[in-house]
Amino acid sequence: MYRQCLVFLFVVRIYAIYPYFDTQDFIYNVPKVYRISLTLDKLLEYYEKKPSKDPEWYIALGSARGQLEYTINELDKSVPGKLKENLKNITRKMDRVQNQTDFTSLVYRSKDYEYVAKAIYENLDVLSSVMEPLTIGTMGTQKPFRFNFEQYVQEARTKMPSRKAADACTMQLLISAMETQTAQSEGACEMTTECQIQIMQGSALGYQQTSRVRAMALARMFDCMEGVDISANIYKLCIQIYKETKSLEAWDHPPGTRTLFMQQILYCASQGYGEFIKPRWMNKIMSWQEPRGCFADDRQPFLRLTGFVDATTKSSKKDREEEYRIKKAATSEGGTCNSLTSAMALGSLVMYIRALLETDQAFQYDVLA
């Protein structure tokens, strides 16, 4: 159904990636990539044995698969053959995980989200081929928030719309983009005033910010925001996210925020902002891997605190059903494992691989300027 109705026209952009890392000597990056490849191999092995029912896991898997394949194809000749074969084995394991998936068993938290997830998934081949150059020096010197985590939660509670509202606005954008591209007409996506404010102008924290990054990236890709400098909007948003990411680190990653931390790194690094590529953040992410291979993060307390699951209003039966579906989709067999957390770990670590494996071509440029 979705494949029949989604007809998009894309301009594919692939650039070289100029990384910012703690070393400009490629040989020291090879052990780091080996470490990441071992982490990813163990993660994929877990989900190969215990399939997830979370659509976001498969969106992240498909996107990471495309980025890793691009990285392998662009490898410098100095990369050891064994490392290249390791990376190829990871892509083969990604294929096995995807091929054995029963997509009829996936759990969607709402009809709006089901449309969004399927629309993204149907276009993953193209979405994963649009790559931005990783550059340094554009985010400025951002310092953590001066207030504490409890104050941050209270602030986020007042600014963050419900998950339902975010899904509904993203669906509006995709439906309008589909109609515009199918008719081959020019013009802005048609959205309600509330959704335009939420996606393009809204001030927010937490997951609302990363939702806006994804929505704006989709709008730019579908070329449906005529007269709006979407790249400038993403840039301003990622500056704010960078400040928040550093704050989560300064607060020592309170329970429920690991997923958000990795999502911030993945979404803004994928838009080209190299400040999100840091050795200590890479090490932190890998340290969070469970012995069984997955990643865990009890997001429910944080989601309730911020109101992103409508916890600030009186619960209705539908609200409880939505919260149950979120938990059911993200919780894999095996207890504490969370597939959304695992998805963000997968995506962000593949971004680190891409940054680490840009070698002499990258270092022809003064990326620290």
Side-chain angles (χ1 to χ4, degrees):
M1 171 185 175
Y2 288 89
R3 189 176 294 278
Q4 292 175 349
C5 69
L6 288 171
V7 181
F8 295 111
L9 302 177
F10 296 93
V11 177
V12 178
R13 298 173 296 169
I14 298 179
Y15 303 92
I17 297 176
Y18 314 140
Y20 167 62
F21 223 77
D22 61 340
T23 177
Q24 289 195 3
D25 190 343
F26 169 65
I27 193 170
Y28 293 115
N29 287 347
V30 171
K32 295 185 179 74
V33 178
Y34 271 118
R35 287 178 57 214
I36 296 176
S37 66
L38 291 174
T39 301
L40 294 179
D41 186 73
K42 193 174 182 180
L43 170 62
L44 291 165
E45 183 177 354
Y46 176 85
Y47 282 101
E48 188 176 5
K49 295 176 180 177
K50 301 179 184 295
S52 171
K53 294 182 179 180
D54 187 356
E56 288 292 339
W57 163 255
Y58 296 101
I59 290 172
L61 180 69
S63 179
R65 171 67 172 81
Q67 293 187 43
L68 191 56
E69 182 178 30
Y70 167 77
T71 303
I72 293 170
N73 291 338
E74 296 296 317
L75 285 178
D76 188 86
K77 293 181 179 179
S78 61
V79 173
K82 184 178 179 181
L83 176 58
K84 185 174 183 178
E85 187 61 26
N86 277 9
L87 297 179
K88 286 183 176 180
N89 285 335
I90 291 175
T91 62
R92 295 180 186 117
K93 187 162 287 190
M94 288 177 171
D95 290 338
R96 291 199 300 272
V97 173
Q98 183 175 2
N99 291 338
Q100 70 180 22
T101 302
D102 177 9
F103 288 91
T104 62
S105 69
L106 299 187
V107 178
Y108 301 95
R109 57 180 175 255
S110 67
K111 287 295 183 183
D112 290 349
Y113 173 68
E114 182 175 1
Y115 182 92
V116 171
K118 288 183 176 179
I120 293 174
Y121 196 80
E122 289 293 333
N123 291 275
L124 265 181
D125 288 345
V126 178
L127 300 182
S128 62
S129 68
V130 179
M131 302 183 187
E132 301 291 339
L134 278 171
T135 57
I136 186 69
T138 58
M139 292 284 96
T141 304
Q142 301 297 321
K143 296 182 179 180
F145 294 129
R146 293 184 177 181
F147 46 82
N148 59 32
F149 178 68
E150 288 72 21
Q151 291 171 308
Y152 161 79
V153 168
Q154 292 301 320
E155 183 76 4
R157 186 197 296 269
T158 64
K159 292 185 175 181
M160 189 180 296
S162 72
R163 187 179 290 270
K164 285 184 178 179
D167 289 343
C169 288
T170 306
M171 185 184 72
Q172 275 189 32
L173 186 151
L174 289 172
I175 290 176
S176 183
M178 176 196 69
E179 292 173 348
T180 301
Q181 296 290 353
T182 301
Q184 297 186 8
S185 60
E186 297 181 356
C189 293
E190 294 183 3
M191 292 185 291
T192 64
T193 302
E194 291 78 10
C195 284
Q196 290 179 10
I197 291 173
Q198 181 190 135
I199 293 176
M200 303 304 300
Q201 303 172 27
S203 175
L205 295 169
Y207 287 105
Q208 167 60 0
Q209 292 197 118
T210 51
S211 294
R212 288 175 64 201
V213 171
R214 182 156 82 170
M216 282 190 255
L218 291 171
R220 182 175 60 190
M221 222 169 295
F222 300 151
D223 195 23
C224 64
M225 285 288 185
E226 184 181 8
V228 176
D229 190 343
I230 297 179
S231 295
N233 278 275
I234 293 176
Y235 165 63
K236 293 176 183 177
L237 189 52
C238 281
I239 288 179
Q240 178 67 13
I241 290 175
Y242 185 51
K243 189 178 186 70
E244 188 173 341
T245 308
K246 294 183 75 173
S247 299
L248 293 177
E249 178 187 35
W251 295 326
D252 197 23
H253 309 282
T257 63
R258 291 180 181 183
T259 307
L260 176 62
F261 178 77
M262 292 186 287
Q263 191 174 79
Q264 291 169 338
I265 293 172
L266 170 59
Y267 282 20
C268 284
S270 66
Q271 293 303 308
Y273 298 110
E275 283 86 351
F276 289 84
I277 303 295
K278 297 185 186 297
R280 68 178 187 273
W281 288 357
M282 179 192 76
N283 292 331
K284 178 66 72 174
I285 292 171
M286 287 193 290
S287 74
W288 288 338
Q289 187 174 35
E290 296 282 302
R292 72 195 77 181
C294 63
F295 285 75
D297 187 21
D298 187 5
R299 296 186 303 123
Q300 292 302 312
F302 177 63
L303 291 174
R304 290 195 189 97
L305 285 171
T306 58
F308 206 51
V309 194
D310 292 329
T312 56
T313 59
K314 185 176 180 180
S315 294
S316 68
K317 183 178 179 181
K318 288 186 177 180
D319 290 336
R320 287 196 296 269
E321 288 176 355
E322 179 183 333
E323 187 171 342
Y324 171 75
R325 287 182 178 183
I326 294 171
K327 187 173 182 180
K328 182 179 178 182
T331 303
S332 304
E333 180 184 350
T336 59
C337 294
N338 186 290
S339 57
L340 180 59
T341 310
S342 298
M344 296 304 103
L346 173 68
S348 57
L349 289 176
V350 167
M351 285 298 303
Y352 276 92
I353 287 178
R354 287 180 60 192
L356 285 165
L357 288 178
E358 286 290 328
T359 57
D360 55 347
Q361 181 182 8
F363 302 131
Q364 292 173 5
Y365 302 86
D366 184 4
V367 297
L368 298 180

